[in-house]
Amino acid sequence: MYNLDPVTIAIIAANVIMSLKGFDDRLFFEKYKFNVGSIRRGEQIRMFSSGFLHVDTTHLIFNMLTLYFFANAVIFALGPLNFIIIYVASLVFGNLLSLYFHKEEYWYSAVGASGAVTGILYAAILIRPEMNLYMFFVPIPIPGYIFGIGYLLYSIYGMKKRIGNIGHDAHFGGAVGGYVVTLILMPSLFKTDLGHIGLLAIPIIILFVLYKTGKLH
């Protein structure tokens, strides 16, 4: 068991409290979820509040478990304040990318901490690219940077094919937010780990090229 920092506990608590409220109060859920039409009408709070709501208990538990496993790697390296900065920036950046790609779909809605949590996951991978990750269906350890590249490539595929009821663009945006903000806060990585930084940038470049060539959708 990890000894969680109070900041991580506070974020998990906020997610649990708001999600439980949303489960029981549909009006609350509808008022604070990510919705393109409402945001474009000026309800900017949804860009932040939607990151603390979840569809159901499974969705909530999965995101909080992921945060639980990767939060300490970021906090130990950068401190609680910078952890919060990365978390919030990833949350907002994920929603900004979703808003950009769905700006004409006024009905488009989403909830979940996935963007923020993915940002923390990518920050942890940047800080410790040698970490090994395990997937439920893969019995062997996967190097963190390999997982990171694969996950973003899958997110691009999911965005292109619109696979499942999943906000792949929010995941991708959150990952990019975590990637960029971590490098800003820890520029020493450019001297110590330029190779992994370059490798993790490949999916970002691919997304940019696909978008510019009109092949994303």
Side-chain angles (χ1 to χ4, degrees):
M1 295 289 288
Y2 293 105
N3 290 318
L4 289 183
D5 189 273
V7 167
T8 309
I9 295 172
I11 289 175
I12 291 175
N15 273 276
V16 170
I17 291 168
M18 279 200 65
S19 294
L20 291 177
K21 172 68 173 174
F23 296 160
D24 293 333
D25 187 341
R26 194 67 194 178
L27 289 177
F28 179 87
F29 184 89
E30 293 294 327
K31 182 178 180 180
Y32 292 110
K33 72 179 183 181
F34 178 95
N35 174 263
V36 171
S38 299
I39 292 169
R40 293 192 63 175
R41 286 193 297 270
E43 297 178 29
Q44 306 300 334
I45 187 65
R46 293 172 182 264
M47 294 287 289
F48 181 75
S49 62
S50 61
F52 292 88
L53 293 170
H54 290 81
V55 173
D56 53 34
T57 305
T58 301
H59 187 205
L60 172 63
I61 291 174
F62 182 81
N63 275 335
M64 294 305 98
L65 274 177
T66 305
L67 182 63
Y68 168 81
F69 284 119
F70 294 99
N72 276 355
V74 180
I75 292 173
F76 288 162
L78 294 172
L81 178 59
N82 286 333
F83 171 82
I84 295 172
I85 291 171
I86 294 170
Y87 187 92
V88 173
S90 299
L91 189 164
V92 173
F93 201 92
N95 280 340
L96 281 172
L97 196 66
S98 288
L99 185 63
Y100 183 77
F101 281 122
H102 300 280
K103 57 182 176 290
E104 301 304 327
E105 302 170 34
Y106 281 65
W107 64 89
Y108 183 85
S109 298
V111 292
S114 300
V117 172
T118 305
I120 295 298
L121 169 63
Y122 272 78
I125 289 172
L126 266 179
I127 293 165
R128 292 180 53 196
E130 78 289 348
M131 72 165 63
N132 286 322
L133 304 178
Y134 290 85
M135 303 295 291
F136 292 117
F137 49 86
V138 180
I140 58 174
I142 303 171
Y145 70 95
I146 296 293
F147 175 86
I149 294 168
Y151 186 87
L152 283 193
L153 290 175
Y154 173 74
S155 293
I156 293 174
Y157 180 74
M159 292 162 67
K160 187 174 175 62
K161 299 295 184 180
R162 299 206 170 196
I163 298 173
N165 188 27
I166 300 171
H168 295 285
D169 32 28
H171 293 184
F172 193 99
V176 173
Y179 176 88
V180 172
V181 176
T182 299
L183 291 176
I184 292 171
L185 295 173
M186 199 173 181
S188 60
L189 290 170
F190 284 105
K191 294 182 179 179
T192 61
D193 223 347
L194 189 58
H196 287 122
I197 290 173
L199 288 172
L200 287 165
I202 291 173
I204 300 172
I205 296 170
I206 290 174
L207 179 71
F208 179 78
V209 171
L210 287 174
Y211 176 73
K212 283 297 184 181
T213 56
K215 296 179 179 179
L216 189 59
H217 294 296

